[in-house]
Amino acid sequence: QGSRRVGGGKESGPLTAEEVEALCAEWEPEGLCGEVDRFQRRWMEWGLVVLGRAGDGRLDVRAGDGVVRGVLDLVTTDWFEVSSSEQARSAGQKTLDVIGVGSCGPRGFYGTVDVHLELEDILAKFLRTEEAILYSYDSATVPSIIPAFANAKDTLVIDDGCAYAVRLGCQLSRATVFTFRHNNMEDLERVLKKVVEDDRRKRKPLNRRFVIVEGLYHHTGDIADLKSIVEIKNRYKFRLLVDESLSIGTLGATGRGACEHCGVAPEDVEILAGSLGHGVGSIGGFCAGAREMVDHQRLSGLGYCFSASLPPYLASTSCAVIREWMDDSVRLRGLQKKLWANGAAFREAFGKAMGPSGRYEVLGDAASPLLHVRFRTAAADDDEVTEQNLKMQVAVERALEKDKVLFTVAKYSKLDASYRPRPSIKVALKSSLSEADARLAAKSLAQSLASV
């Protein structure tokens, strides 16, 4: 209705009813997603559903037509299982009883509740920064932060191993983006030097320049060399944004993340961002740093301005978890050491089961709670990528069926066509698992992979 012909003269004017009917008959709707490959189809047919926690690092799940209870959980990233702790649940229940579920609006209008302000204060104290800001959804946090500080005139230099959230934020900012080889400090310096020299030669107006990295990388389990990154970015007068999503709680003597782990002071990092959905076991994201930087986002951070605020009871659970870390960092350090021991046990058992000529390798730093198992040889084309994913999916299904161990094949958005990590199986360790559990999981996965 109201459609008009394109062009001028006699051919202009509204379409007739017959023309509208003819166009509607010809129209074919575009699919909501791309073509489903064999791996995706098999995964959907498997239909895994998590029914709930069974305690001690175990889950009850439904796969296909059957229910499997008490399976070893190597999938969820609640490393310390704090989401099911009595302290966190009690804090959430108290807030739920008083306020209810939702806050009914964005933070800047009528969605701010006292526990939101309390959590922001606790985060700032925990991270030792001037101020912190709370976002409702962790996946929207970094994509909101980057466009708040960078636009088409600015320059972003990112590690080429950064995950989709960082890449989406760069895309939304419309800034000029350069990448450096993953965790390669020589290449980082080369890129920064080239940017500075090119800007000087072209007499480019003064602009903002950022280096963006992840403290602990989602796709590899590697820890960023933040000490060297800070030294290099200072030399070339860049600012630094660090995504601490996976490293909060798991790295650093008191759980303050990769910066603490690498001996980097909070004031050396202009923007600290992260998720509350992993180590904290809740939902939401945060950004911390100088007061001026944080306050700028209260009017410029899209995910803050236009999203309903975080449900208050989830803010309360996050407060309880972080307070516990601050009050008893010795206990937290003990949980971290259990993660390290489980990671070492998994690597050792997987290597023994695979043998020296195994087709698979384990990626991830010794201190990382997240490991990736992948083919040693990279896929040559998209068909081989699908084939590798399919083999890994079959192995994951066999490990669950045979040994009641749950893994998952890493899945990535096809919206980011510029970067697709190599196929891998994610291994999310838990402090509640024993080293014997880690060895059982590694042996089960190795045998399942060898059989496909």
Side-chain angles (χ1 to χ4, degrees):
Q1 186 177 359
S3 297
R4 303 179 69 87
R5 297 183 183 85
V6 178
K10 295 180 180 179
E11 297 300 320
S12 63
L15 297 174
T16 65
E18 291 78 10
E19 289 172 325
V20 170
E21 287 294 330
L23 289 172
C24 289
E26 294 173 4
W27 180 69
E28 292 186 7
E30 191 172 317
L32 295 176
C33 62
E35 184 179 349
V36 177
D37 60 35
R38 290 183 298 144
F39 156 64
Q40 293 169 321
R41 190 171 302 282
R42 172 141 192 159
W43 175 69
M44 289 189 293
E45 289 172 353
W46 190 37
L48 181 80
V49 177
V50 175
L51 302 177
R53 288 203 173 277
D56 296 326
R58 285 166 168 77
L59 298 171
D60 294 334
V61 302
R62 184 174 70 241
D65 297 326
V67 173
V68 188
R69 301 194 179 277
V71 305
L72 284 180
D73 172 18
L74 279 300
V75 173
T76 64
T77 54
D78 182 4
W79 323 112
F80 311 120
E81 292 191 288
V82 294
S83 62
S84 56
S85 73
E86 183 56 38
Q87 189 169 354
R89 292 170 70 92
S90 175
Q93 186 64 56
K94 287 179 182 177
T95 303
L96 199 60
D97 292 342
V98 174
I99 299 175
V101 176
S103 53
C104 303
R107 288 287 306 277
F109 293 89
Y110 39 82
T112 295
V113 181
D114 56 356
V115 290
H116 294 136
L117 302 176
E118 182 183 359
L119 178 54
E120 289 178 341
D121 184 57
I122 289 173
L123 281 166
K125 289 177 180 175
F126 177 65
L127 297 169
R128 296 170 178 161
T129 60
E130 291 182 3
E131 199 168 318
I133 184 172
L134 180 63
Y135 283 84
S136 310
Y137 189 42
D138 47 4
S139 294
T141 301
V142 172
S144 295
I145 296 169
I146 295 174
F149 294 99
N151 57 37
K153 301 189 297 291
D154 301 321
T155 301
L156 307 175
V157 177
I158 71 170
D159 187 298
D160 70 4
C162 282
Y164 179 63
V166 170
R167 294 173 179 275
L168 177 59
C170 293
Q171 180 184 349
L172 294 174
S173 74
R174 297 176 293 116
T176 302
V177 180
F178 298 91
T179 61
F180 65 96
R181 290 197 297 276
H182 176 56
N183 244 357
N184 188 314
M185 297 302 102
E186 291 182 2
D187 198 48
L188 170 60
E189 183 159 14
R190 177 191 65 80
V191 173
L192 298 194
K193 184 177 180 181
K194 184 176 186 303
V195 168
V196 171
E197 290 177 349
D198 287 351
D199 285 358
R200 185 182 296 123
R201 189 180 67 255
K202 297 174 183 177
R203 296 186 179 182
K204 190 172 181 178
L206 188 65
N207 66 348
R208 289 175 290 258
R209 301 168 178 165
F210 287 90
V211 175
I212 303 176
V213 298
E214 296 175 25
L216 177 58
Y217 287 91
H218 288 72
H219 296 334
T220 60
D222 296 331
I223 297 172
D225 185 359
L226 290 177
K227 196 81 171 177
S228 299
I229 292 171
V230 167
E231 180 186 339
I232 294 169
K233 70 96 176 174
N234 285 339
R235 190 182 311 150
Y236 291 94
K237 296 180 173 58
F238 276 66
R239 295 181 174 96
L240 176 61
L241 188 159
V242 179
D243 181 356
E244 293 267 26
S245 291
L246 295 180
S247 46
I248 287 295
T250 60
L251 296 181
T254 58
R256 289 176 166 86
C259 290
E260 183 181 42
H261 177 83
C262 297
V264 172
E267 57 267 23
D268 290 332
V269 179
E270 283 75 15
I271 302 177
L272 277 173
S275 166
L276 299 173
H278 302 292
V280 183
S282 184
I283 293 175
F286 65 86
C287 182
R291 183 165 288 107
E292 293 82 0
M293 181 275 296
V294 170
D295 286 346
H296 174 72
Q297 295 174 68
R298 299 195 189 278
L299 290 177
S300 302
L302 299 181
Y304 179 90
C305 295
F306 299 108
S307 295
S309 59
L310 184 71
Y313 75 95
L314 291 173
S316 294
T317 63
S318 299
C319 288
V321 170
I322 297 172
R323 275 203 199 94
E324 186 177 359
W325 291 351
M326 295 171 73
D327 293 342
D328 194 355
S329 59
V330 174
R331 179 178 177 275
L332 177 61
R333 193 61 168 173
L335 295 176
Q336 291 176 347
K337 289 179 179 179
K338 286 185 178 181
L339 287 177
W340 302 343
N342 287 341
F346 183 93
R347 288 173 181 277
E348 180 185 11
F350 187 86
K352 284 183 178 179
M354 270 292 166
S357 59
R359 294 181 297 159
Y360 299 88
E361 60 183 351
V362 180
L363 304 180
D365 191 274
S368 172
L370 178 67
L371 307 177
H372 283 261
V373 176
R374 72 181 187 187
F375 282 87
R376 290 186 184 277
T377 305
D381 52 34
D382 288 346
D383 288 340
E384 194 172 348
V385 167
T386 299
E387 191 63 29
Q388 289 187 357
N389 274 323
L390 186 59
K391 288 181 178 180
M392 289 180 173
Q393 178 61 31
V394 173
V396 164
E397 293 175 23
R398 290 183 181 177
L400 176 62
E401 180 181 355
K402 179 173 171 286
D403 300 305
K404 297 176 68 173
V405 182
L406 183 62
F407 297 96
T408 186
V409 179
K411 299 167 189 70
Y412 304 105
S413 173
K414 290 189 175 182
L415 294 174
D416 185 12
S418 64
Y419 175 69
R420 195 75 52 78
R422 287 168 57 180
S424 67
I425 293 174
K426 290 201 295 187
V427 181
L429 302 170
K430 303 287 180 300
S431 61
S432 57
L433 298 179
S434 66
E435 292 182 42
D437 290 333
R439 292 191 187 96
L440 168 65
K443 184 177 179 181
S444 173
L445 181 59
Q447 290 175 346
S448 298
L449 286 169
S451 68
V452 296

